[in-house]
Amino acid sequence: MATEPRSSERRGGERVAEGTWVPGADGSGFGIEHLPYGVVRPTGEAPRVAVRIGDRALDLAVLADAGLLALPGLSASALRAPALNGFLALGRDVWSETRARLIELLDVRGPGASDVGALGERALVPLAEVEALLPVAVGDYVDFYSSLEHASNLGRIMRPGGDPVLPNWRHLPVAYHGRAGSIVVSGTPIRRPCGQRPPHAPSEVPSFGPERQLDFELELGFVTGPGLPSGARIPAAVADEHIFGFLLLNDWSAREIQRWEAQPLGPFLGKSFATSVAAWITPLEALAAHRVHGAPQDPPPLAYLHTDEPWALEIDLEVAIVPAGSRVELTLSRTNARELYWNAAQQLTHATSGGSALRAGDLFASGAISGLDPGSYGSLIELTSGGSTALQVGDGSRTFLEDGDTVIMRAVAAGGDRRPRLELGEVSGTVLAAAED
Ligand code: MN
């Protein structure tokens, strides 16, 4: 597997700061090199766009009001907004200029400590005092199936005896259109869905009731801007003009419903009840030093899916569970996003190749990310071989999720070798019992 890091001159001319004057931010994973975007609501106030620095939210609307974010094309209405969509619509140049200006204001060597510092906690609000909202009003949501290991594992479980990976898989990034309206921000409780569960024998009929094989899927998503009309394709070489940033995502999955309904079409109710995303979106620019070349694709993809740029992301991923009734967190799986077969540029290029429009705030997710070893699988259906092997979890065991279980996903782009250490916003959710009839 090729491992060369993205060379330093590819960092888009970004100014490299030595650190920030914001207390506690350096080394926290949310330092000046990161600055993920979100939308926060301070108590009793309207939502606004912010970036996270350390354990604080830097309020961009307050900065703009104070004249500290006077940039061409950056409108106050995009910042005093309930979602990032208006900002995403402004496009790559404004994203870059805003980021550069924020780095300047937060740089320990710059004048920001007095300029921003004078605004006090109005500008730099402790995270404990704001509500972090769903960062994007997602228009369209696509979930890919881009991990070869995950596709192979699931193929073996869902279609035993056949070739686990179907013939199209290595030629195109397989995906389905998901349910944008069911996307929730990290921390939102997840109600166990009800649905049709498959019959045990061909002579029986299905039953309707609470899903008994509730699962998670560890995924990385990206959001888009500024948008394109129908029919305008995105060449893979310019995908970075359209990919704003990345975030962790849990594609909650109801395996009984999925197994029964997805014959022959893709997931429907098995995936439409909830998808959790992080509150903070890491800009593509912040990940520049963590971009690497992925493993060679065999066979080589068709020309329109060819990428030269290093689009694999060197990001460590982890899934943990706090079992119902426990306070102890246990790690279930560890993997790395670089394991993905299809990259974000290929996914976006493919998604628009047929004439689909693209809007600011569309969400594209990777599909469950699994590695080769059992300890690196990104879903319970893989970790328990389809529910046949229970996992020891503290004093108990699990095949699938039980009511009261909390699932937490974390992601770290490791530091070192002139790479800053970045911690992506986590995604957590607690399972609630199914609704009573
Ligand atoms: Mn998925």
Side-chain angles (χ1 to χ4, degrees):
M1 195 180 291
T3 59
E4 53 284 25
R6 195 171 163 88
S7 59
S8 55
E9 69 269 21
R10 292 207 51 84
R11 298 192 60 185
E14 181 163 305
R15 182 176 169 198
V16 178
E18 286 179 2
T20 177
W21 51 267
V22 178
D26 287 342
S28 69
F30 294 95
I32 192 168
E33 310 88 351
H34 191 178
L35 306 183
Y37 281 79
V39 173
V40 299
R41 179 160 55 203
T43 311
E45 295 190 47
R48 64 276 317 277
V49 170
V51 294
R52 179 169 172 180
I53 175 98
D55 58 3
R56 289 156 209 253
L58 180 66
D59 185 330
L60 303 198
V62 167
L63 292 188
D65 288 348
L68 293 173
L69 262 187
L71 298 171
L74 180 59
S75 55
S77 62
L79 301 176
R80 199 170 287 284
L84 282 166
N85 298 54
F87 181 70
L88 298 175
L90 299 176
R92 169 65 57 203
D93 288 349
V94 175
W95 305 340
S96 291
E97 283 157 21
T98 304
R99 178 171 165 80
R101 175 62 178 153
L102 294 174
I103 290 173
E104 193 174 77
L105 287 170
L106 294 167
D107 192 327
V108 69
R109 298 166 300 184
S114 57
D115 291 346
V116 179
L119 302 171
E121 289 200 352
R122 277 203 310 125
L124 212 48
V125 198
L127 287 178
E129 293 173 20
V130 296
E131 183 187 358
L133 305 179
L134 182 66
V136 174
V138 177
D140 281 298
Y141 161 45
V142 168
D143 196 27
F144 283 93
Y145 193 53
S146 287
S147 159
L148 177 58
E149 290 73 23
H150 172 71
S152 304
N153 291 335
L154 225 62
R156 274 189 286 270
I157 294 165
M158 295 282 192
R159 293 185 307 276
D163 189 346
V165 176
L166 295 176
N168 63 351
W169 197 91
R170 290 173 185 271
H171 292 284
L172 56 84
V174 169
Y176 66 93
H177 280 284
R179 190 79 185 159
S182 300
I183 295 171
V184 296
V185 72
S186 176
T188 307
I190 304 302
R191 177 75 63 188
R192 179 182 300 273
C194 290
Q196 281 203 22
R197 302 166 304 189
H200 296 294
S203 58
E204 296 176 15
V205 294
S207 59
F208 184 92
E211 167 66 46
R212 293 168 296 205
Q213 297 188 345
L214 184 60
D215 201 353
F216 57 76
E217 289 193 346
L218 168 63
E219 307 195 12
L220 203 56
F222 64 86
V223 297
T224 58
L228 278 175
S230 296
R233 293 181 178 187
I234 296 176
V238 300
D240 58 350
E241 297 292 318
H242 303 273
I243 295 175
F244 171 72
F246 288 83
L247 75 175
L248 267 176
L249 182 148
N250 183 350
D251 175 28
W252 301 92
S253 298
R255 299 301 183 190
E256 287 181 298
I257 297 171
Q258 181 185 357
R259 186 182 301 116
W260 176 234
E261 74 182 359
Q263 302 176 18
L265 291 185
F268 187 43
L269 304 188
K271 303 276 193 172
S272 68
F273 57 97
T275 303
S276 300
V277 297
W280 300 99
I281 301 174
T282 296
L284 177 61
E285 283 181 273
L287 290 165
H290 302 276
R291 291 175 59 177
V292 295
H293 288 282
Q297 293 172 310
D298 182 22
L302 296 180
Y304 81 105
L305 290 172
H306 176 80
T307 47
D308 288 319
E309 299 288 309
W311 272 107
L313 297 173
E314 183 75 59
I315 299 176
D316 293 319
L317 305 167
E318 156 184 316
V319 187
I321 186 171
V322 180
S326 168
R327 293 186 169 188
V328 182
E329 181 184 314
L330 303 150
T331 301
L332 293 178
S333 178
R334 286 195 178 90
T335 187
N336 192 290
R338 67 172 305 148
E339 306 286 348
L340 285 167
Y341 187 91
W342 294 104
N343 64 50
Q346 292 173 321
Q347 291 165 347
L348 185 61
T349 296
H350 183 65
T352 56
S353 65
S356 167
L358 184 73
R359 290 182 288 186
D362 284 350
L363 172 66
F364 295 83
S366 60
I369 304 172
S370 295
L372 281 172
D373 308 321
S376 66
Y377 294 165
S379 66
L380 279 173
I381 194 171
E382 294 168 86
L383 288 162
T384 66
S385 304
S388 64
T389 313
L391 286 179
Q392 193 64 35
V393 172
D395 295 334
S397 66
R398 288 289 181 281
T399 47
F400 292 95
L401 295 170
E402 296 189 1
D403 295 345
D405 285 350
T406 298
V407 177
I408 305 163
M409 296 178 175
R410 297 198 179 85
V412 172
D417 189 25
R418 291 189 295 167
R419 298 180 185 192
R421 179 181 171 279
L422 311 180
E423 210 173 296
L424 274 64
E426 71 170 34
V427 174
S428 71
T430 300
V431 177
L432 302 179
E436 305 266 344
D437 275 342

